[in-house]
Structures are given as structure tokens and as C-alpha cells.
């Protein structure tokens, strides 16, 4: 199971250190009746989660926990997990359920399967259901992006599911650097791509860990070429040249056409540079068979100290690196461009999964009531430290009870943007800590400990207080990844025009095209083929369906 996690989700996972003397009050559960069913119902459910990987308190399981019991006792909704799995097993079970026409009442579907089932009339329309039963908070959260994702999820103008996603996908081009290694080798933070390469060379050749063994990497990259990656993406290098390798980047042209960024000349230049770095030995030799976790494990082990990745590094292997060596310190920068300054990042409005209801289910409102309940527990401005302790992460056990939810949705315009802004205002003296949202207040308390103890300068952490490191490297003033994100947003990002479910040609050809892209890019970097193979790739990509997809997207979004 992958340990990297985007803060869109991780914001709900953090164990907290609460102010001294805080007493936990018993929650008033009578308010839940406003979302109760008229009569109790039992609904079969399709859930993307492996129960074996979830932490439960003693005596609890997927059918006995704070959320499951509350759904049953207060909402009158009993969940029967007909499918509860993860990864490839989940995908296989979804496919089998669709083929056998044995779909549960409540569904959690990949966007492509959602589109197929909606077109086949297998899903219940939800426009009127959401309007009638959605709470004020739920409707505000789902429209926080101006309604972009909800509109993108509509099929022929009808909403058949509640999408899971973000109005702005977080760039995966952040450059993470071992700050202690920079100091030891007398290096400065890079301001352009050439300086990044010089750091890679020094980290590879100059024994930054001081153990006298040639065991450190230059630049850590993984084999996940076209997708968002927690550790080891090549997106930062592509961005440095003005390109992108991500499969979601459909860029508008002035003449009304659309381009696919991974087929651009700028992406070609980036791949050519990566091939030269690999030939010099500055990229981990076995990257072609190393997924993002393999890079993360090298980070934790102290052999990789330079890589591009996402915002949630401090929540997994980055934290483990400090736990294993408390002299380890981190800094995070936006990817530098070839010429100098920040590379321009690429982003997109996305949804990967959708909560939907079987057309044969008599109670589509149950899904909306579950969403209402979950929102009120976690995302409400009326939440308290008491309630977050009960429904979020328990600070005594460290267990994240949000893992027990069904249909927990954050606002589509990422709430972490607001947390970063308001926490920065507190540090700047423009707000009082007590004015923060309760969840943001938890993070502020940890970040303040981190800063007060001097770790904001070193990028390291107290090994007994790694929670503070998690918070700080995300929302810390000046040095956190979300401060970097704010800089990118202010400068303007390249936004993809494509936001919807798969086009007709995508449904038939997209997996083949992605496989072609990933295979070609990996071979180019590793020297298996020359850079000329990129030109052949572009030709094949267009001939095998890419050109048709570009026309379909232009027709949909460039009118």
C-alpha cells in the first residue's frame, strides 16, 4: 500500500496535540435526526477500501465503529459492504459486478465506469435529490469551485453521481531536498535546472551522508511516467522546459484546437535531458522497475535526498527519514525552470471517482444524507476540538476514524489553501489563533511548536514530535509546501481545458495510448531508444486515437 498521500485527504488524518487542560465534552447526538431516514434501511455498498489495512480500536471492525454505528443508530442507514476491497482487486470486482449486472445500492466508481453505467441507464439521477436533501454545508462545499466539477460529472446534462476531486489538482512538481546534505556540502538552494543537476551530481559523488560508501542517489525518479506521483515524478523536469508528462494536460490553443502536453516539443527536451542524466549515473539505475514507493523507501533509508514530488511528503517516508535519522532536514521548492525562477506548473480540474446510486435503489437520498453527516462531523465551521477528537483522529490512539466513513467529501476548492492562508495570517499577527477553523487550529499549534524549537531553520524535527513536522512542512509559513502552492497560484498555472468523463475514443483507446506513452518515456530515459523515438511516439499516438481525442475535446470545450 502506498504511503504517500495528498493533503487533500491527509488534512483529516493528523493526530493532534491539543491545548493543555482541554476537556472533551460528550457530543449532543440529537441533532443527527434532521438527516435521519423516514424508516430504517439496509443498503448494499461498494467501497474502495481493504478492511485489513484500516486501524481499528480494540473490539471494533468495519461493522462496529463510530461512523458505522452512527449511520445505523442516528440516520437509520445500515451499510452492508457487498464489495470492500482496494487496488487491482477492487477494480476487478467492480468489473465483475458490472458484467453480471449485480450492482450494490451505493456505488464508488472510477470515472470511466461511471460514464458507462450512466449511459446504460443503470444509475439514479441525483440533481433533484441533491437539491432537496443536501445540507447548506454540503451544497456550499460541492459548489466551492463555482460548480465546475459537478458540471463536469453530468452526462447529457444530468448528474448521476457526486464526484470526488479538486477544482485545482495539486502540482506534483515540488522539489524536495535534504537540507542537511546541502549544508554539509556547502551548496545553496537551486535557482535554475542546471543548479539542480549540480546538486544531484554532488549528492551522488560527494558522500553527503558521510559513511564512506557509494550508496547515495543523485536524482530519485520512479517509473510512473504519466500519473501523479508522490515520490520521484519527472513532472518537475518537464515543467522546467515548459512541458508536462501528466495524462490530464489538454492545453487550449488560440486557433480553437487543443494540444496534449506530453506530446509537446518542450516535453521532448525534458526527456532528452533526463536521458543524459541517466547516462551520467545521476538517476537511480533501476528507476524503470521502481515505483513511487521504491523512491520513498530510499528517502526513508537515507539514500535519496533529491526528488520531485507532491505536497504530502512529510506525512509518510519523509517523516520516516527523520525518525530514522533526526539530523535529516528537508526543504521544499517549486521546480526551477531552465532559465531561472519557478517553472510554470500544470494543473487541472479533476475527479477520479464518483459516488453514485443504483437506479433500482429506492432510497437515493441516503447517499446525500451520509454526505451531510460526514461534512458536519469534519468540515463544519461549527466543529470543535472535542468533535474532531471523536470523529477525526483520536489523539490518544492515533487512529484516524475518518477511514470508517462512506462518502466523506472535502470542498472541491481545496480547503488546505484556506488553511495555509489563515495560518500564515496568524503568524504574521493579522489574525488571532482562536479565529482559525478548529482543524486549522490543530495544525497551527503543532507548527508553532516546530517554529519555536528552531526547526523551521533546519527542516528537521524533534523525533518525539514528528506530527509537528507533518503540519509544518505542509502549512508552515514561508517553508511549507502549501506556501509554495500559493506562489504558483498567484503566478498563474497552465490549466487543462478537459474536466469531464472519458470521450468516446478515450473509452476505447486511452489505456493503449497511456501504455505507449509510459513505455516510450521509460525507454528514452534509460537509453533503450534514442530521443528520435519520441517523434515516432507522437505519430503513433495520433494515429492510434490521440488525434481523434483532441478533436473530441476541442469540440466539447473550445466552443
Amino acid at each position: 500500500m502506498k504511503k504517500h498521500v495528498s493533503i487533500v485527504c491527509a488534512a483529516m488524518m493528523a493526530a493532534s496535540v491539543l491545548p493543555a487542560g482541554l476537556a472533551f465534552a460528550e457530543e449532543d447526538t440529537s441533532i443527527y435526526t434532521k438527516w435521519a431516514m423516514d424508516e430504517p434501511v439496509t443498503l448494499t455498498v461498494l467501497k474502495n477500501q481493504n478492511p485489513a489495512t484500516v486501524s481499528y480500536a480494540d473490539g471494533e471492525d468495519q461493522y462496529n465503529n463510530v461512523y458505522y454505528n452512527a449511520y445505523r443508530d442516528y440516520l437509520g442507514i445500515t451499510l452492508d459492504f457487498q464489495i470492500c476491497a482496494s487496488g487491482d482487486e477492487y477494480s476487478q470486482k467492480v468489473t465483475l459486478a458490472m458484467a453480471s449486472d449485480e450492482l450494490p445500492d451505493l456505488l464508488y466508481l472510477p470515472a470511466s465506469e461511471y460514464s458507462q453505467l450512466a449511459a446504460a441507464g443503470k444509475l439514479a439521477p441525483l440533481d433533484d435529490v441533491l437539491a432537496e436533501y443536501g445540507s447548506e454545508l454540503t451544497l456550499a462545499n460541492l459548489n466551492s469551485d463555482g460548480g465546475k466539477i459537478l458540471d463536469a460529472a453530468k452526462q447529457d446534462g444530468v448528474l448521476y453521481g457526486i464526484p470526488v476531486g479538486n477544482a485545482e489538482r495539486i502540482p506534483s512538481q515540488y522539489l524536495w531536498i535534504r537540507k542537511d546534505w546541502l549544508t554539509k556540502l556547502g551548496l545553496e538552494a537551486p535557482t535554475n535546472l542546471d543548479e539542480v543537476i549540480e546538486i544531484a551530481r554532488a549528492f551522488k559523488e560527494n558522500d553527503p551522508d558521510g559513511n564512506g560508501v557509494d550508496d547515495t542517489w543523485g536524482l530519485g525518479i520512479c517509473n510512473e511516467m504519466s500519473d501523479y506521483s508522490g515520490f520521484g515524478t519527472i513532472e518537475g523536469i518537464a515543467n522546467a522546459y515548459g512541458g508536462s508528462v501528466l495524462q490530464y494536460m489538454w492545453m487550449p490553443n488560440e486557433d480553437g484546437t487543443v494540444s496534449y502536453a506530453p506530446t509537446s516539443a518542450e516535453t521532448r527536451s525534458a526527456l532528452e535531458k533526463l536521458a543524459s542524466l541517466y547516462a551520467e549515473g545521476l538517476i537511480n539505475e533501476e528507476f524503470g522497475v521502481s515505483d513511487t514507493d521504491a523512491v520513498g523507501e530510499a528517502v526513508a533509508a537515507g539514500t535519496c535526498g533529491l526528488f520531485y514530488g507532491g505536497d504530502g511528503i512529510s506525512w509518510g517516508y519523509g517523516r520516516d527519514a527523520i525518525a530514522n535519522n533526526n539530523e535529516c532536514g528537508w526543504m521544499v521548492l517549486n521546480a526551477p525552470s531552465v532559465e531561472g525562477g519557478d517553472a510554470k506548473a500544470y494543473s487541472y480540474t479533476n475527479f477520479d471517482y464518483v459516488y453514485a446510486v443504483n437506479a433500482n435503489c429506492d432510497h437515493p437520498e441516503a447517499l446525500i444524507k451520509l454526505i451531510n453527516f460526514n461534512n458536519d462531523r469534519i468540515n463544519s465551521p461549527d466543529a470543535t476540538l472535542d468533535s474532531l477528537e471523536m470523529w477525526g483522529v483520536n489523539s490518544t490512539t492515533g487512529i484516524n476514524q475518518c477511514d470508517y466513513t462512506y462518502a466523506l467529501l472535502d470542498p472541491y476548492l481545496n480547503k488546505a489553501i484556506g488553511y495555509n492562508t489563515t495560518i500564515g495570517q496568524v503568524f504574521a499577527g493579522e489574525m488571532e489563533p482562536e479565529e482559525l477553523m478548529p482543524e486549522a487550529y490543530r495544525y497551527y499549534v503543532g507548527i508553532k511548536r516546530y517554529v519555536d524549537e528552531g526547526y523551521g531553520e533546519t527542516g528537521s524535527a524533534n523525533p518525539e514530535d514528528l506530527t509537528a513536522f507533518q503540519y509544518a512542512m505542509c502549512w508552515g509559513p514561508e517553508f511549507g509546501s502549501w506556501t509554495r502552492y500559493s506562489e504558483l497560484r498567484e503566478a498563474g498555472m497552465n490549466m487543462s481545458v478537459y474536466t469531464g468523463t472519458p470521450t468516446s475514443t478515450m473509452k476505447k483507446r486511452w489505456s493503449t495510448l497511456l501504455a505507449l506513452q509510459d513505455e516510450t518515456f521509460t525507454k528514452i530515459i534509460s537509453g533503450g531508444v534514442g530521443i528520435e523515438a519520441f517523434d515516432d511516439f507522437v505519430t503513433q499516438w495520433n494515429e492510434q486515437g490521440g488525434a481523434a481525442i483532441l478533436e473530441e475535446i476541442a469540440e466539447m470545450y473550445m466552443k
Side-chain angles (χ1 to χ4, degrees), residues 7 11 174 414-428 430-431 436-437 439-441 443-444 447 471-490:
I7 300 307
Y174 299 120
N414 201 317
K415 68 179 179 180
I417 297 171
Y419 286 178
N420 177 252
T421 300
T422 54
I423 289 171
Q425 289 172 339
V426 171
F427 275 100
E430 300 168 1
M431 281 181 64
L436 292 168
M437 285 278 287
E439 190 177 30
Y441 180 80
Y443 306 143
Y444 164 75
I447 295 167
Y471 299 166
M473 291 306 292
C474 288
W475 297 289
E478 299 181 10
F479 51 80
S481 60
W482 279 89
T483 297
R484 303 283 83 81
Y485 184 46
S486 295
E487 294 165 353
L488 293 176
R489 294 184 79 236
E490 192 170 319

Side-chain angles (χ1 to χ4, degrees), residues 158-342:
V158 178
L159 183 70
Y160 290 98
I162 309 299
V164 179
N166 302 294
E168 296 176 7
R169 180 63 157 153
I170 307 155
S172 56
Q173 54 100 284
Y174 299 120
L175 180 63
W176 292 83
I177 310 176
R178 279 283 297 261
K179 195 171 185 179
D180 55 316
W181 286 6
L182 279 183
T183 301
K184 180 178 179 179
L185 298 180
L187 301 171
E188 300 291 334
T191 61
N192 58 47
L193 181 60
D194 284 343
E195 292 175 1
V196 174
I197 294 170
E198 286 305 309
I199 291 171
R201 188 171 288 113
F203 282 8
K204 173 63 178 174
E205 299 175 354
N206 296 348
D207 192 25
D209 60 359
N211 67 355
V213 179
D214 181 15
D215 61 351
T216 51
W217 296 5
L219 176 66
I221 70 172
C222 70
N223 62 1
E224 298 181 24
M225 296 286 107
S226 61
D227 207 351
Y228 174 86
S229 174
F231 290 80
T233 176
I234 63 171
E235 179 69 359
I237 299 287
N239 290 172
Y241 285 89
S244 173
V245 297
L246 299 185
Q247 60 174 294
Y248 314 98
M249 298 309 171
W250 308 87
M251 310 313 299
N253 300 320
E254 291 183 359
D255 63 358
T257 61
V258 173
S259 298
Y260 180 55
T263 63
S264 68
E266 291 81 4
T267 299
R268 186 186 195 276
S269 297
L271 292 170
E272 188 171 21
K273 173 58 71 174
L274 285 161
S276 72
L277 297 180
Y278 181 84
E280 190 182 343
L282 300 186
I283 287 175
N284 44 305
E285 184 177 1
E286 296 185 348
F287 88 90
V289 294
S290 300
D291 63 10
T292 187
D293 274 340
V295 179
E297 288 161 6
V299 167
T303 56
C304 178
L306 179 70
F307 60 93
Y308 294 90
D311 60 304
I313 300 306
S314 61
W315 295 76
Y317 295 115
R319 169 188 170 123
D320 295 345
I322 293 180
N324 294 333
N325 174 11
N326 63 7
E327 294 183 1
C328 171
W330 291 101
M331 66 186 305
V332 57
L333 307 172
N334 291 319
S337 71
V338 172
E339 298 83 7
D342 291 348

